[in-house]
Amino acid sequence: MYVANSSKMGGGNRVLTELVNGLDRSRFLPFLVAPTDGPLVNWARAAGVSWQIVDDGDWAGRAGLFRRAASLVPLMLRTRTRIVHAIDPLCYRAAGLAGGLTGAARVALGPDLPPLYC
């Protein structure tokens, strides 16, 4: 599962599209979580990638973190997510928490972070 912080086709999401296009689909089944409909979701539709819109809402503070994680946990359980990946501070905290609660491996990348593999 890739948790995007934007539905636009910026740098991080372009890297995502290249990564997904190169995946061995017999081994990996990509799933995209986007905050709104837009160019990234349009790409997912065209590429045959499953996706779900999960409104971004309020990401600030602990309450926002827990609300966001709570919206991801059932989705991760339903899709049997084994790896959750986020690329931005706006989404890696909630994705990491949801991954920890569901047992999914967590990958977080950010401009001020070294790669984190949990």
Side-chain angles (χ1 to χ4, degrees):
M1 176 180 286
Y2 179 83
V3 181
N5 71 326
S6 168
S7 290
K8 298 178 182 174
M9 288 302 287
N13 287 346
R14 288 195 187 283
V15 171
L16 162 72
T17 62
E18 293 297 319
L19 173 76
V20 171
N21 287 335
L23 284 177
D24 178 351
R25 297 278 183 104
S26 69
R27 295 185 60 209
F28 299 99
L29 183 62
F31 189 91
L32 170 69
V33 173
T36 60
D37 201 354
L40 184 61
V41 172
N42 292 339
W43 165 82
R45 284 183 188 112
V49 173
S50 297
W51 56 273
Q52 176 81 39
I53 292 174
V54 175
D55 294 332
D56 54 358
D58 177 14
W59 298 55
R62 288 186 180 153
L65 168 65
F66 289 117
R67 278 192 302 273
R68 181 70 168 161
S71 67
L72 293 173
V73 166
L75 184 57
M76 292 174 76
L77 292 172
R78 190 175 78 239
T79 59
R80 297 169 46 190
T81 297
R82 293 187 187 169
I83 302 169
V84 61
H85 177 212
I87 199 165
D88 186 88
L90 292 177
C91 50
Y92 67 63
R93 290 175 47 228
L97 178 57
L101 292 171
T102 62
R106 296 159 286 167
V107 179
L109 301 172
D112 301 325
L113 294 174
L116 169 68
Y117 304 95
C118 304

